[in-house]
Amino acid sequence: QVQLVESGGGLVQAGDSLRLSCAASGRTFYKMAWFRQAPGKEREFVAGKTSSGGITHYADSVKGRFTISRDNAKNTVYLQMDSLKPEDTAVYYCAAGSSLLSGVRDRYDYWGQGTQVTVSS
């Protein structure tokens, strides 16, 4: 049974950092990514990375502030979030799949349950 389990969310102040983790079990994946969904908004792509580490994509809104990394031995993907802003407040979801790396939600086969990140001003 495939599972993605996120951890690391919380309440922080603007300018602080957080690191999210997503541990996958049941199989390995070519691509793993992070999406987020703020209240009243669509779920949006944040960052994604391939298993080889050769391809990485970021949303423009997080470039230079967030870093995605993978530990293939642990089958885990991380999202280091620095210089957090109130507009980063959202539920963050881990996603995984086998096809080409993409920012499109429907191109991912498996999802975690999400972890809340709240950034106060």
Side-chain angles (χ1 to χ4, degrees), residues 19 34 49 58 67-71 76-80:
R19 189 175 83 150
W34 291 93
K49 195 172 187 70
Y58 292 97
T67 304
I68 187 171
S69 61
R70 290 182 67 165
D71 184 334
T76 298
V77 62
Y78 304 95
L79 185 68
Q80 177 66 41

Side-chain angles (χ1 to χ4, degrees), residues 2 4 24 27-32 51 70 75 96-98 110:
V2 174
L4 302 177
R27 57 164 289 184
T28 58
F29 298 96
Y30 172 69
K31 67 178 185 231
M32 296 187 77
S51 56
R70 290 182 67 165
N75 208 10
S98 302
Y110 299 95

Side-chain angles (χ1 to χ4, degrees), residues 31-66:
K31 67 178 185 231
M32 296 187 77
W34 291 93
F35 286 72
R36 67 185 182 187
Q37 188 166 17
K41 294 189 177 180
E42 295 287 319
R43 192 171 299 188
E44 64 175 3
F45 174 80
V46 175
K49 195 172 187 70
T50 57
S51 56
S52 64
I55 303 174
T56 303
H57 288 162
Y58 292 97
D60 288 342
S61 58
V62 305
K63 278 181 184 175
R65 299 189 298 121
F66 290 11

Side-chain angles (χ1 to χ4, degrees), residues 31 33-35 43-46 57 95-97 99-109 111:
K31 67 178 185 231
W34 291 93
F35 286 72
R43 192 171 299 188
E44 64 175 3
F45 174 80
V46 175
H57 288 162
S99 58
L100 295 177
L101 187 61
S102 169
V104 177
R105 229 181 118 169
D106 292 346
R107 301 282 173 87
Y108 290 82
D109 305 307
W111 292 83

Side-chain angles (χ1 to χ4, degrees), residues 5-28:
V5 180
E6 302 103 333
S7 60
L11 171 62
V12 296
Q13 293 186 330
D16 285 351
S17 298
L18 272 179
R19 189 175 83 150
L20 305 182
S21 300
C22 171
S25 60
R27 57 164 289 184
T28 58

